[in-house]
Amino acid sequence: MLNKRYSLSPSYQNLFIDLWNTIIWYYTNDEILSKEIVYNSIELFSFNLFDIFSIIFISFFFTLIRYLFQSILSLKLITWFQLTIQNEKKFSESTWKFLFYTCSWSYCFYLVKYRYNYFDEPYLVWDNWSVGMFVPFNIKILYFIQCGFYIHSVYATIYLDSKRKDFYIMILHHIITTILIFVSYAIRYHRVGLLVLFCHDIADIWLEITKIIRYLNTKQDKRWEQISYIGFTIFVICWFVFRLYWFPLKVLYSTGVVAVYRTLDRGLHLYIPFNIMLWILFILNIYWFFLILKVLHNAIFGCLSRSGDVREDDGDQEKSLSSNNHWLHKQRIE
């Protein structure tokens, strides 16, 4: 029985041992016909021009909405909370990301927990899978929005966001995420994509909440500081549980092990490239977790930065404040 080759409730030990055994078995089994070259899989992509233009339109729409958000709503909040000059642009950035991640993750939560139950039974993502299969509209709309957002995020990281120490890592992350979303939809791995989004976006929600709260602090008003510590604690827990525990056991195990045995009769496309990108994403999560531990160390010993984000380079921030925050003060004066 094929289901004897994988675990329905895998551990980290199962992940590494079963993945190694599966790769060896898969590439030494002459009876398997789905060990195709990458370009053969690309020929099977199900992505029409309307889909592509829709995503491009959404990315431009996000950029427009963000400019409007920063110019109108964010400016009112900045004035209301009387933020310091240093925190104005960063507050606007974090508020924008918080609103997006909260809405997208809440909808994704509904899909994976209640509508399709892929989180509790991740092996179901491969049931009735086939290249070119129908994608339900409720999944397609989330996919297009997410893909458009991350294309926008590449532009935003370069031209709109505050510069941080991991600038190039963030660019790499956004590009890989965009490719994963695009490829997983085109090859109809969209169910797995839901789990990837579910395991990642919740940590971003609490990261942005914590940063927003810390931006509200001033030298004269420290009432938000204790609340920010609570938010940061929840953020650390979410990052570890969802990105370093559930993501490898729910996603990496499913794509690396379960997929091989549950799709043998239908072929398995881009097996190695798709899994490599997912593992790169996992490695980035580990890298960022070490940065998070550095923030935790600073918080314990009382040297946490005003933003709570260890990625920020104070020198770079000072250089960017005069140019990047000028537009906020100009509009405030006007």
Side-chain angles (χ1 to χ4, degrees):
M1 295 292 292
L2 289 176
N3 60 358
K4 297 297 183 180
R5 296 179 181 268
Y6 62 86
S7 172
L8 298 181
S9 300
S11 62
Y12 260 100
Q13 181 179 3
N14 294 133
L15 173 62
F16 291 105
I17 294 178
D18 292 354
L19 180 61
W20 174 255
N21 292 335
T22 298
I23 293 175
I24 297 299
W25 177 81
Y26 183 72
Y27 281 95
T28 57
N29 192 331
D30 294 333
E31 296 181 0
I32 299 178
L33 302 178
S34 60
K35 294 178 289 188
E36 75 302 311
I37 306 299
V38 171
Y39 65 81
N40 288 334
S41 289
I42 294 177
E43 291 179 351
L44 299 174
F45 274 17
S46 297
F47 224 120
N48 56 50
L49 287 178
F50 177 79
D51 295 337
I52 295 175
F53 284 123
S54 296
I55 292 174
I56 294 175
F57 172 79
I58 291 173
S59 66
F60 279 107
F61 181 74
F62 271 124
T63 304
L64 174 61
I65 292 299
R66 176 164 178 178
Y67 275 115
L68 293 176
F69 172 80
Q70 290 182 329
S71 302
I72 302 175
L73 180 58
S74 179
L75 189 62
K76 292 183 181 296
L77 292 174
I78 289 171
T79 304
W80 187 39
F81 285 114
Q82 298 180 333
L83 298 183
T84 62
I85 297 174
Q86 186 178 11
N87 289 337
E88 288 181 350
K89 184 173 186 295
K90 293 180 288 185
F91 173 85
S92 179
E93 173 189 336
S94 291
T95 305
W96 162 257
K97 292 179 180 178
F98 165 72
L99 291 174
F100 172 78
Y101 286 125
T102 300
C103 294
S104 65
W105 186 84
S106 299
Y107 182 60
C108 190
F109 173 79
Y110 159 74
L111 291 178
V112 301
K113 285 289 292 182
Y114 297 102
R115 183 63 180 85
Y116 298 107
N117 199 34
Y118 294 145
F119 181 78
D120 295 324
E121 299 176 299
Y123 54 88
L124 294 179
V125 301
W126 304 108
D127 282 4
N128 302 315
W129 172 85
S130 64
V131 174
M133 66 182 292
F134 173 75
V135 180
F137 179 77
N138 53 14
I139 296 178
K140 177 184 289 189
I141 190 64
L142 178 63
Y143 247 75
F144 284 14
I145 289 174
Q146 285 278 355
C147 194
F149 178 79
Y150 279 103
I151 292 175
H152 151 79
S153 295
V154 174
Y155 170 83
T157 301
I158 298 174
Y159 297 106
L160 300 179
D161 295 348
S162 301
K163 296 300 184 291
R164 297 181 171 88
K165 296 178 182 179
D166 65 344
F167 172 80
Y168 294 104
I169 297 295
M170 286 300 297
I171 294 294
L172 175 63
H173 169 269
H174 295 333
I175 292 175
I176 289 177
T177 302
T178 302
I179 294 174
L180 279 171
I181 294 174
F182 180 88
V183 173
S184 63
Y185 178 86
I187 211 72
R188 295 304 188 256
Y189 292 163
H190 51 278
R191 298 170 180 171
V192 177
L194 290 181
L195 289 176
V196 175
L197 296 172
F198 176 76
C199 290
H200 282 77
D201 285 0
I202 186 172
D204 290 315
I205 294 174
W206 285 101
L207 171 63
E208 303 306 334
I209 288 177
T210 303
K211 290 162 67 176
I212 289 171
I213 295 173
R214 290 200 66 81
Y215 295 147
L216 297 178
N217 284 326
T218 64
K219 293 181 179 180
Q220 295 77 25
D221 186 1
K222 296 288 186 179
R223 58 182 173 175
W224 300 100
E225 189 165 1
Q226 296 302 318
I227 300 177
S228 70
Y229 290 143
I230 297 175
F232 181 72
T233 301
I234 298 175
F235 161 68
V236 174
I237 294 173
C238 286
W239 190 285
F240 179 81
V241 172
F242 283 85
R243 293 196 179 199
L244 301 185
Y245 184 74
W246 289 128
F247 176 66
L249 299 187
K250 297 288 186 179
V251 177
L252 297 181
Y253 189 83
S254 180
T255 59
V257 180
V258 180
V260 173
Y261 303 115
R262 292 184 74 92
T263 63
L264 285 177
D265 57 335
R266 288 156 282 167
L268 182 61
H269 302 281
L270 295 179
Y271 173 69
I272 291 297
F274 191 67
N275 277 280
I276 287 176
M277 287 189 289
L278 288 173
W279 276 90
I280 291 176
L281 195 59
F282 182 52
I283 292 172
L284 291 177
N285 288 337
I286 296 174
Y287 164 76
W288 277 314
F289 190 67
F290 279 110
L291 295 184
I292 293 170
L293 293 180
K294 183 178 179 180
V295 175
L296 184 61
H297 174 272
N298 291 341
I300 293 175
F301 291 97
C303 53
L304 186 62
S305 66
R306 281 187 294 269
S307 68
D309 193 340
V310 75
R311 300 173 300 159
E312 293 180 358
D313 190 320
D314 293 336
D316 292 339
Q317 287 300 326
E318 292 299 327
K319 294 177 183 178
S320 65
L321 281 174
S322 59
S323 58
N324 290 337
N325 287 339
H326 176 70
W327 65 273
L328 279 171
H329 292 284
K330 182 179 179 180
Q331 293 187 49
R332 178 184 289 180
I333 293 173
E334 293 173 351

